[in-house]
Amino acid sequence: MKKETPPPRTIGLITDFGLSDPYVGQMRAVLARKAPGCLVVDISHDVAPFNVAQAAFFLAASYEHFPADAVILAVVDPGVGTDRAIVGLEVDGRMLIAPDNGLLALAQKNAWAASIRAFDLSAAMDAPNRVSHTFHGRDVLAPLAAWLALGGKPGELGREIDPETLVSLPWSHPDIRPGRACGHVLHIDRFGNCVLNLEAGSLGVPTGLRLTVPAGGGLTYARTYGDMPEGGPGLLEGSQGFLELAVNQRSAAKQFGLSMGDAIELAWEA
């Protein structure tokens, strides 16, 4: 009996490569050559250079919108060519591949999944073909994503590991206590909204809410941007599954002097 070939899986891409250099095109060319039947979806290639936290947010906010068997590759890799591991996080059938540098931390922490498994896929770096020490995205990770998308099993390449052993950095663990929350800015979108590492709903419905670090005063806990007066600041549950500091029709980043990676502190009536 002829062995049935599994259908090709969708591949998602997140990088900090930008589009002015040939790097993204070369990665996509490898995918087209090795997995020509796979749909490739570009989530973003405009992650700020080396910004693992921003990429982790893009990944955590995006993977659930992909087909249930998708392979999603995230390459923000300041340690490329070193002994850092390459890992895969399987979340309810979707396989998320990244360097083990914290990039999978938010997806792992915030996943409401029935099944979460992790694999050390570092053996992919032992590929017989020529591998650049500075471009594993093209020479190691893209071929790995193609292999998995065509039916490769992660357990055939590397051992299963405890997901809790994956690298996790401070920005993936906000400090939430009664009446107080400390977190970080993961991302600032083009409207100036500041996406925080606080999961939507994690504060309940706080009353007397205020921004204390940086000193910003009272905030409306809003359902929509329009629930805040024009120019008025607030906190709301954004479309990406995380809380956002926002100012209606203004830039919260400018108003509060915030940049990606900055610490924030919120307080409310406990």
Side-chain angles (χ1 to χ4, degrees):
M1 181 180 293
K2 184 178 178 181
K3 186 177 179 181
E4 188 172 330
T5 303
R9 302 162 73 175
T10 300
I11 300 173
L13 292 177
I14 298 172
T15 76
D16 60 349
F17 297 160
L19 296 176
S20 59
D21 296 303
Y23 310 138
V24 171
Q26 291 176 9
M27 281 184 63
R28 288 182 60 94
V30 170
L31 294 172
R33 177 165 51 87
K34 291 185 173 292
C38 292
L39 173 66
V40 179
V41 176
D42 297 289
I43 298 171
S44 177
H45 297 294
D46 284 328
V47 174
F50 318 119
N51 195 324
V52 173
Q54 186 186 32
F57 159 63
F58 286 179
L59 180 61
S62 302
Y63 77 86
E64 65 179 340
H65 302 293
F66 278 74
D69 63 350
V71 175
I72 303 176
L73 175 56
V75 189
V76 176
D77 195 10
V80 62
T82 69
D83 60 358
R84 60 90 181 91
I86 293 173
V87 289
L89 186 71
E90 188 178 75
V91 183
D92 280 349
R94 300 176 181 92
M95 177 57 71
L96 316 183
I97 308 168
D100 190 18
N101 58 9
L103 222 163
L104 296 173
L106 289 177
Q108 177 193 352
K109 176 180 177 294
N110 294 316
W112 295 91
S115 172
I116 300 179
R117 304 171 68 192
F119 298 86
D120 185 341
L121 303 176
S122 300
M125 289 187 286
D126 298 330
N129 298 324
R130 183 172 65 88
V131 173
S132 165
H133 295 300
T134 61
F135 198 0
H136 284 181
R138 177 194 64 198
D139 297 338
V140 177
L141 291 159
L144 173 60
W147 179 75
L148 290 167
L150 294 177
K153 304 297 183 185
E156 296 174 1
L157 182 65
R159 62 186 178 89
E160 186 167 355
I161 57 177
D162 183 351
E164 295 299 323
T165 65
L166 298 180
V167 170
S168 182
L169 298 173
W171 44 259
S172 63
H173 299 281
D175 181 8
I176 303 176
R177 305 179 187 184
R180 175 177 169 271
C182 298
H184 289 82
V185 179
L186 295 174
H187 174 62
I188 297 173
D189 69 14
R190 70 188 303 269
F191 302 102
N193 301 315
C194 299
V195 180
L196 308 177
N197 64 334
L198 299 169
E199 203 172 355
S202 60
L203 308 186
V205 183
T207 57
L209 183 65
R210 59 194 184 279
L211 180 64
T212 56
V213 178
L219 299 172
T220 300
Y221 193 79
R223 186 176 63 88
T224 70
Y225 302 107
D227 289 338
M228 298 176 280
E230 185 173 342
L235 186 75
L236 76 163
E237 298 180 7
S239 64
Q240 304 303 300
F242 293 82
L243 294 175
E244 297 178 10
L245 278 173
V247 176
N248 186 13
Q249 299 181 53
R250 303 286 192 280
S251 169
K254 290 182 179 179
Q255 179 156 324
F256 298 123
L258 288 168
S259 300
M260 286 189 292
D262 284 353
I264 63 94
E265 184 171 328
L266 300 166
W268 63 92
E269 297 173 7

